């Protein structure tokens, strides 16, 4: 339980939130006006997780969504979270151990997902897809495609912005090219 591999070497990148790891849960309480649990439950519904699913959360932060996902997929399912920040992985692993939940966290990047092909039914990315350099994001979609099982799906939740750099419509052509190859 709470297996953490924080020894992996992942290059620091723009958008990394590691320095906020010990305050991140408090920040989320404030940002969601105390409704983070509801937000995470809504994400689980939207991601259409089912009992027995194998789920990967990319950019897992302190593991709150991964822990909620494990409740949904049950003991027959598997949930793994990766984050580029070792500090986040350490906090997530501590939470998992403290709660006695079987979720694995490890350091990893969307640009080189450390799992074999066709491993996951669902890949989730929550509030992180626009917090990385564009070149990393572009490397990430083929990686997600690689680790998803045939018939699996990708769930992305991110905030809306009037800033053109963070417009979901820009992701659509990249996703179509990547996922239409199956």
């Amino acid at each position: 339980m709470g297996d953490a591999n924080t020894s992996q070497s992942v290059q620091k990148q723009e958008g990394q939130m590691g320095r906020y790891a010990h305050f991140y849960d408090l920040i989320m309480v404030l940002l969601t006006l105390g409704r983070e649990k509801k937000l995470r439950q809504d994400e689980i519904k939207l991601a259409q997780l089912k009992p027995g699913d194998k789920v990967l959360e990319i950019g897992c932060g302190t593991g709150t969504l991964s822990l909620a996902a494990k409740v949904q997929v049950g003991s027959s399912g598997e949930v793994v979270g990766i984050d580029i920040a070792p500090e986040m992985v350490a906090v997530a692993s501590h939470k998992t151990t403290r709660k006695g939940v079987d979720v694995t966290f490890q350091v990893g990047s969307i640009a080189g997902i450390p799992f074999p092909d066709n491993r996951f039914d669902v890949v989730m990315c929550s509030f992180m897809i626009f917090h990385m350099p564009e070149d990393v994001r572009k490397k990430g979609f083929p990686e997600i495609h690689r680790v998803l099982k045939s018939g699996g799906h990708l769930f992305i939740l991110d905030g809306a912005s009037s800033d053109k750099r963070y417009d979901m419509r820009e992701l659509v052509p990249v996703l179509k090219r990547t996922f239409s190859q199956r």
Side-chain angles (χ1 to χ4, degrees), residues 40-59:
R40 300 308 182 187
Q41 291 305 317
D42 289 348
E43 287 181 81
I44 297 302
K45 284 182 194 167
L46 290 169
Q48 301 175 359
L49 302 183
K50 301 181 300 298
D53 277 349
K54 291 186 176 186
V55 179
L56 172 64
E57 183 186 7
I58 300 172

Side-chain angles (χ1 to χ4, degrees), residues 8-181:
Q8 253 185 324
S9 173
V10 176
Q11 186 177 13
K12 270 198 161 305
Q13 71 183 32
E14 175 187 329
Q16 185 174 330
M17 302 285 291
R19 67 177 168 252
Y20 303 109
H22 293 288
F23 309 104
Y24 190 78
D25 287 341
L26 176 60
I27 292 167
M28 286 303 296
V29 167
L30 296 172
L31 288 174
T32 63
L33 303 173
R35 297 174 48 93
E36 183 183 14
K37 184 174 183 177
K38 169 98 170 78
L39 170 68
R40 300 308 182 187
Q41 291 305 317
D42 289 348
E43 287 181 81
I44 297 302
K45 284 182 194 167
L46 290 169
Q48 301 175 359
L49 302 183
K50 301 181 300 298
D53 277 349
K54 291 186 176 186
V55 179
L56 172 64
E57 183 186 7
I58 300 172
C60 65
T62 62
T64 305
L65 180 58
S66 292
L67 291 169
K70 181 60 179 173
V71 172
Q72 182 65 27
V73 303
S75 59
S76 63
E78 176 187 18
V79 178
V80 179
I82 63 171
D83 200 288
I84 196 166
E87 303 91 343
M88 290 290 196
V89 170
V91 171
S93 296
H94 179 74
K95 281 169 70 173
T96 299
T97 300
R98 190 177 76 238
K99 293 178 184 238
V101 179
D102 187 17
V103 175
T104 302
F105 295 100
Q106 70 181 64
V107 174
S109 171
I110 191 173
I113 299 173
F115 295 101
D117 297 359
N118 305 307
R119 167 91 185 269
F120 297 101
D121 299 295
V122 181
V123 174
M124 302 186 303
C125 303
S126 177
F127 298 111
M128 55 73 64
I129 206 73
F130 291 116
H131 302 281
M132 66 182 70
E134 186 176 343
D135 65 314
V136 174
R137 187 170 43 247
K138 284 184 176 178
K139 289 177 188 171
F141 288 117
E143 279 292 285
I144 290 168
H145 184 256
R146 180 184 65 76
V147 300
L148 271 173
K149 292 178 181 177
S150 181
H153 66 273
L154 168 62
F155 172 76
I156 298 173
L157 177 73
D158 217 311
S161 172
S162 60
D163 187 334
K164 181 83 169 117
R165 293 177 301 160
Y166 304 116
D167 188 339
M168 279 300 286
R169 290 172 291 195
E170 292 182 13
L171 291 178
V172 172
V174 174
L175 292 172
K176 279 185 178 175
R177 278 194 307 273
T178 301
F179 288 93
S180 66
Q181 296 172 2

